[in-house]
Amino acid sequence: MSIVEDNEILTRVGRGTPMGELFRRYWMPALLSEELPEPDCAPVRVKLLNEDLVAFRDSNGRVGLLGEYCSHRRASLFYGRVEDCSITCVYHGWKYDVDGTVLDIPAEPETSRLKDTIQHKSYPCEERNGVVLTYMGPKEKMPLVPNLPWFTLPRDHVVVGSKLFLECNWLQALEGDNDSIHSAYLHRRISGEGDPMNQARRRPARVAIDRLPWGVRAATIYPYDDTQEMVRTNTFLMPCIGNTPRGDSPNGYNEAVHTIYQVPADDYTNWRYDFEVWWDKSVDDSYARSDRAEVGSDFMSYYTRANNYRLSREEQKSGDFWCGVAARNHTQDKMVTESMGAISDRSQENLGASDMHIIAMRRFMLEAVRTMAEGGDPPGLAWTPEENQSRDYPYMITSVLPTGADWKECLPKV
Ligand code: FES
Ligand SMILES: [Fe+2]
């Protein structure tokens, strides 16, 4: 298949598209728990995989995620009344449970069976560590919520950094999260020049690919000195998760992982969720506070194409931020990924040896699409507790090792 055809397959996420159907087989973030802070609070519009939805928290604290348009005559449930363990459309009073059951149609005769014949669109929700997850696939195929550390570690080990709206397709955003090379340029700080690791990271590197059962780990290996190399890993996990190292490496692997989900709102826009995950210690929310200083209460960034992301030519010439945007990584990432256009034209790219992880990820996803087309299940799903393990996949490495040493030895035996 041509690059253009592959690009269409990988980027389109509506129902019925190959990638859209694949996405719908996974539990994915729909919104943050804090967006529905208390029972019977105001509902929230949610756009997910090209579908218009409304989330609400009922009187018992349960989260419902319903199709936005009323099953009666399509008025938006966003304007509905949230009360009495339900959401009620304000047009003619149709009343819905969190699972889409029509509880009442007050204008119909008492003998009417109409409400029993209608099931309003709804998707199941689960809350984990401050995130509302949903599953939009076939009921009979619903897997367990994955036991990934950002969902299973104690709440105070996990910081939800931010949620951030991106005006571009999800895939180009995800590719950045799995590209070790870019952070030594785009996120470069002149004040960090003295660090020999930072110096190493701007030397030509090679990328070793480690194909996992449900993703692709890459070790980017940089020359360090005459006898040592520096190894830095990134791990892509299906369907839209990027993991990068964070913190020090007292035990060979990093003490924390920076996890990013790129969740498609539609083909042209995307919600980015950042998590900071500490294996063995609790942390405060300073990471979240810093990230959130760059977005409004609606999670829209103050840095946009309209203001050129506040890029300063003076900063580029003589400031600390090499790229010219004196901001957090997620904002700098936003600038470059949005600048590619709504959907990057990958037929115009020129990939090199340092792009091996990107190439391997695309191949992995296309294979998963093919597996589904042939009737199989996509990788990384679990239906039993025994299957539901993240193994060593979320552990990250940033280490200086003897040249040629096996970097996988740094991973914990789990
Ligand atoms: S459109 Fe919602 S009740 Fe009529
Ligand atoms: Fe980045």
Side-chain angles (χ1 to χ4, degrees):
M1 241 186 246
S2 72
I3 295 173
V4 172
E5 288 168 311
D6 284 349
N7 206 25
E8 277 294 299
I9 289 172
L10 289 175
T11 54
R12 304 287 174 180
V13 295
R15 191 170 281 285
T17 62
M19 202 66 197
E21 291 304 309
L22 185 141
F23 258 110
R24 283 168 172 77
R25 299 291 302 278
Y26 294 85
W27 285 93
M28 282 192 310
L31 70 164
L32 300 179
S33 296
E34 69 192 57
E35 294 179 75
L36 297 170
E38 59 193 17
D40 293 337
C41 60
V44 175
R45 282 197 182 95
V46 175
K47 181 103 183 195
L48 203 53
L49 301 179
N50 267 354
E51 296 189 32
D52 295 322
L53 307 168
V54 166
F56 72 104
R57 193 182 291 282
D58 78 3
S59 316
N60 291 329
R62 297 179 306 166
V63 175
L65 186 61
L66 305 185
E68 178 174 355
Y69 307 108
C70 181
S71 280
H72 179 216
R73 280 181 16 222
R74 309 277 294 154
S76 172
L77 294 178
F78 173 72
Y79 303 108
R81 295 173 62 94
V82 181
E83 59 193 3
D84 194 18
C85 277
S86 61
I87 187 166
T88 298
C89 178
V90 291
Y91 199 2
H92 312 93
W94 285 38
K95 185 175 180 179
Y96 300 92
D97 200 350
V98 285
D99 65 2
T101 302
V102 183
L103 297 169
D104 192 21
I105 304 180
E108 287 295 300
E110 269 183 21
T111 52
S112 168
R113 309 303 312 155
L114 181 60
K115 75 179 171 62
D116 303 326
T117 66
I118 295 165
Q119 172 61 46
H120 188 73
K121 180 198 277 187
S122 75
Y123 296 120
C125 294
E126 294 278 346
E127 291 188 81
R128 297 283 190 280
N129 278 347
V131 180
V132 178
L133 300 165
T134 193
Y135 171 76
M136 298 169 70
K139 281 203 168 39
E140 68 281 6
K141 295 277 193 181
M142 188 169 82
L144 299 175
V145 174
N147 276 338
L148 290 160
W150 35 96
F151 300 142
T152 58
L153 281 169
R155 181 70 187 89
D156 59 358
H157 289 217
V158 179
V159 183
V160 183
S162 74
K163 173 178 156 178
L164 178 70
F165 189 67
L166 300 178
E167 293 186 74
C168 66
N169 182 260
W170 70 280
L171 182 60
Q172 61 214 54
L174 177 72
E175 289 176 349
D177 305 330
N178 290 280
D179 163 15
S180 193
I181 306 284
H182 89 280
S183 53
Y185 298 92
L186 180 66
H187 306 314
R188 178 177 172 189
R189 301 283 292 272
I190 303 304
S191 55
E193 298 295 80
D195 181 339
M197 281 205 185
N198 287 343
Q199 292 167 8
R201 292 192 60 202
R202 288 200 309 283
R203 296 182 190 128
R206 69 179 200 278
V207 181
I209 297 299
D210 178 25
R211 221 184 123 100
L212 306 171
W214 49 295
V216 181
R217 176 158 48 205
T220 307
I221 303 170
Y222 308 84
Y224 189 78
D225 60 22
D226 289 348
T227 59
Q228 300 177 101
E229 296 173 320
M230 180 189 157
V231 178
R232 186 173 186 272
T233 58
N234 290 64
T235 302
F236 156 66
L237 295 175
M238 289 286 278
C240 58
I241 312 170
N243 299 282
T244 63
R246 199 164 194 87
D248 296 327
S249 305
N251 303 309
Y253 57 89
N254 285 79
E255 58 190 338
V257 50
H258 177 198
T259 296
I260 305 171
Y261 277 65
Q262 302 285 1
V263 181
D266 56 26
D267 294 347
Y268 309 108
T269 60
N270 182 66
W271 285 106
R272 167 176 170 153
Y273 292 78
D274 285 74
F275 303 84
E276 191 187 61
V277 184
W278 294 79
W279 293 108
D280 296 318
K281 69 175 186 186
S282 61
V283 284
D284 64 21
D285 65 349
S286 53
Y287 168 66
R289 278 200 306 274
S290 302
D291 264 9
R292 290 175 185 215
E294 296 176 3
V295 302
S297 57
D298 55 0
F299 302 103
M300 296 291 173
S301 179
Y302 300 132
Y303 299 72
T304 65
R305 184 191 298 262
N307 61 21
N308 285 324
Y309 306 89
R310 302 184 181 178
L311 183 144
S312 157
R313 299 295 169 187
E314 198 181 315
E315 183 71 26
Q316 274 189 344
K317 276 197 167 57
S318 54
D320 186 30
F321 291 81
W322 184 81
C323 73
V325 176
R328 306 271 294 172
N329 288 8
H330 68 167
T331 294
Q332 296 164 345
D333 290 332
K334 180 177 189 292
M335 173 177 73
V336 293
T337 51
E338 289 183 347
S339 73
M340 297 167 185
I343 298 181
S344 180
D345 179 357
R346 290 178 170 78
S347 70
Q348 299 300 306
E349 293 176 335
N350 295 284
L351 303 182
S354 57
D355 298 304
M356 284 306 295
H357 198 191
I358 308 305
I359 295 165
M361 283 168 56
R362 293 178 189 172
R363 195 170 290 155
F364 192 95
M365 285 183 230
L366 287 167
E367 284 176 22
V369 163
R370 217 160 18 245
T371 299
M372 273 190 68
E374 291 164 358
D377 293 317
L381 302 178
W383 288 273
T384 66
E386 295 70 40
E387 294 170 317
N388 195 7
Q389 300 189 28
S390 59
R391 302 192 167 80
D392 67 8
Y393 310 154
Y395 287 88
M396 297 289 117
I397 301 170
T398 313
S399 275
V400 175
L401 301 172
T403 300
D406 182 2
W407 53 269
K408 287 188 202 164
E409 289 297 317
C410 297
L411 293 167
K413 307 285 178 269
V414 291

